[in-house]
Amino acid sequence: MTSRFTELVVDCHDPERLAAFWCAVLDFKVIDRSEGKVEIGSWEPTVEEVRARQMPPTLVFIRVPEGKTVKNRLHLDVSPIDGSTDDEVARLLGLGAAKVDVGQGSGRSWVVMADPEGNEFDVLRTLAPSTYMIGPEG
């Protein structure tokens, strides 16, 4: 017997707003919505595909009445794929994210940020090809 990691659920006040933010961050699309719930992903899961192999999990945003009170015990890490880490941080700030200090200290290779409802996430090193990063002349 085995299980599959299929969804990561995020409690929030405004599922539509948070889903729109994360769709923009990850280039995901809304794959399901109902009263107080929005699910986003890079693919539309089917039972057959999930049973056949491990697939990327979806994100589900569910409306709850209480607010966030402490640092997350679980967070997402994202890596830019077509630009520098600094460029991605600037893009995410423009989407409504904020830089935050959770005690990480200075000189880290990642940047700690928070989504519009204060959920922390990290922007890691870029995964862009090195030729993109240094330009065509090298």
Side-chain angles (χ1 to χ4, degrees), residues 8-12 14-23 26 34 36-40 58-63 76 115 119:
L8 177 65
V9 178
V10 179
D11 291 349
C12 61
D14 189 344
E16 291 288 342
R17 178 178 178 221
L18 219 48
F21 171 81
W22 283 103
C23 278
L26 300 170
S34 60
K37 180 184 113 177
V38 180
E39 183 175 10
I40 67 172
T58 61
L59 294 175
V60 180
F61 301 94
I62 296 181
R63 181 178 296 121
L76 299 178
D115 70 18
N119 300 299

Side-chain angles (χ1 to χ4, degrees), residues 11 13 64 66-72 114-115 117-120:
D11 291 349
H13 280 289
V64 296
E66 67 275 358
K68 181 178 176 302
T69 57
V70 297
K71 178 180 169 259
N72 295 0
D115 70 18
E117 289 203 12
N119 300 299
E120 298 91 6

Side-chain angles (χ1 to χ4, degrees), residues 21 25 61 70 73 92 107 112 126:
F21 171 81
V25 171
F61 301 94
V70 297
R73 300 221 31 207
L92 298 175
V112 181
T126 183

Side-chain angles (χ1 to χ4, degrees), residues 33-107:
R33 65 170 34 101
S34 60
E35 182 65 33
K37 180 184 113 177
V38 180
E39 183 175 10
I40 67 172
S42 60
W43 66 297
E44 192 149 350
T46 66
V47 170
E48 294 76 23
E49 286 180 302
V50 170
R51 281 187 165 163
R53 61 193 181 282
Q54 184 69 48
M55 303 296 287
T58 61
L59 294 175
V60 180
F61 301 94
I62 296 181
R63 181 178 296 121
V64 296
E66 67 275 358
K68 181 178 176 302
T69 57
V70 297
K71 178 180 169 259
N72 295 0
R73 300 221 31 207
L74 175 74
H75 67 266
L76 299 178
D77 287 346
V78 300
S79 297
I81 60 169
D82 55 7
S84 71
T85 301
D86 290 342
D87 290 342
E88 183 65 355
V89 167
R91 184 180 81 88
L92 298 175
L93 289 169
L95 292 174
K99 289 184 180 181
V100 294
D101 182 351
V102 293
Q104 70 269 23
S106 61

